[in-house]
Amino acid sequence: MSVENSDAVEVIGADRKGRWVITCDHASNRVPGDVADGDLGLPPADMARHIAYDVGAAGVARALADALDAPVALSRFSRLVIDPNRGEDDPTLLMQIYDGSIIPANRGASAAEIERRLNRFHRPYHAALRGLIEGRDDPILVAIHSFTRQFRGRAPRPWDVAVLYAGDTRLAYPLLARLNAEPDLCVGDNEPYSGHLPGDAMDRHGVQPGRLHVLIEVRNDLIETAEAQEAWGKRLATLLDAARVHADL
């Protein structure tokens, strides 16, 4: 198994030769030292919340990759440093306020600073992911995210897990069918977010090139522990492979 590390991305299992490629765009809440001296000005409690990263998603992505014998690419910087799941011209690329919390170090960030962060983190992450994808025949891309049960001042969300997709439903629909057949799950269909955000990671690496892809969101209170992350990774691997076989993909 190969492991590659940089300030932008951790790649595990690049030498695995199967079709599956797993991504975790919001794997880390790390703020590198050359970004606001490693401190965005938020209290530790905020940096431990969903606003800084997708809680539990990295563990699920690793377990899923192991179960499918697939490579996985994980970001090594907080989404508040710069969001790799946004297009470079997206207004939420560098968040200044998120779920009621102001991000002091991002207030008034210059165009030059945004470009520097793109070059240091965002672009290298996507270059590594592109290398994993293009290095195998007929790849299938699976993005793992997590979502919070409740935003401040809003109603609780009912879903346990969700499947997000744009126009390509080849894998999404058979996966939804299998998740909906699980008696213990409340399943979101393009919830709690739309599956089509122009310029995001799935649009860039899946939609635009016409590759098989799907994005899976797991509610983060269900994957707080290493044991839960391992269990969800294995569960999703079984469901994904069954969906692929049934759809003859």
Side-chain angles (χ1 to χ4, degrees):
M1 180 184 299
S2 65
V3 179
E4 301 170 10
N5 292 289
S6 73
D7 275 342
V9 61
E10 177 185 15
V11 175
I12 302 173
D15 51 352
R16 295 169 175 171
K17 301 301 184 184
R19 294 176 64 193
W20 299 99
V21 177
I22 314 304
T23 75
C24 190
D25 301 324
H26 300 147
S28 175
N29 62 354
R30 173 176 172 264
V31 181
D34 64 339
V35 176
D37 294 323
D39 186 350
L40 296 175
L42 288 167
D46 266 345
M47 290 304 298
R49 295 206 295 138
H50 69 97
I51 66 171
Y53 74 125
D54 281 359
V55 177
V60 175
R62 291 188 181 99
L64 175 62
D66 286 344
L68 292 174
D69 195 30
V72 57
L74 307 105
S75 67
R76 297 197 68 238
F77 55 95
S78 171
R79 65 189 300 170
L80 298 179
V81 169
I82 198 157
D83 195 331
N85 195 36
R86 296 293 185 272
E88 293 191 12
D89 58 353
D90 191 300
T92 63
L93 176 69
L94 190 70
M95 295 293 282
Q96 298 187 31
I97 184 169
Y98 192 7
D99 194 20
S101 293
I102 294 171
I103 299 90
N106 290 349
R107 297 292 298 271
S110 68
E113 174 60 11
I114 294 172
E115 181 70 13
R116 189 187 73 83
R117 295 190 199 182
L118 282 167
N119 283 329
R120 283 274 286 118
F121 308 108
H122 192 283
R123 290 168 183 154
Y125 173 80
H126 285 285
L129 179 52
R130 185 169 58 250
L132 280 181
I133 296 167
E134 294 178 351
R136 62 201 66 242
D137 295 331
D138 199 15
I140 306 174
L141 185 61
V142 180
I144 297 297
H145 290 254
S146 72
F147 65 96
T148 184
R149 182 179 183 87
Q150 186 172 16
F151 278 109
R152 288 174 173 171
R154 300 188 190 179
R157 293 157 155 176
W159 309 284
D160 301 304
V161 62
V163 176
L164 275 58
Y165 55 91
D168 188 344
T169 60
R170 291 175 292 171
L171 182 57
Y173 279 3
L175 178 58
L176 277 166
R178 273 145 190 80
L179 284 166
N180 280 314
E182 299 282 297
D184 61 324
L185 296 180
C186 177
V187 181
D189 182 342
N190 263 340
E191 298 283 0
Y193 314 106
S194 166
H196 189 206
L197 184 62
D200 71 0
M202 284 295 98
D203 182 60
R204 184 170 181 168
H205 299 288
V207 176
Q208 292 184 34
R211 297 186 181 106
L212 282 168
H213 64 280
V214 72
L215 189 153
I216 300 171
E217 293 262 5
V218 184
R219 205 177 72 223
N220 61 22
D221 63 310
L222 301 177
I223 50 173
E224 291 177 332
T225 67
E227 292 78 12
Q229 293 158 22
E230 182 77 16
W232 267 97
K234 291 178 178 177
R235 185 178 194 177
L236 291 173
T238 299
L239 295 167
L240 279 162
D241 210 40
R244 178 193 62 81
V245 171
H246 180 80
D248 194 26
L249 296 172

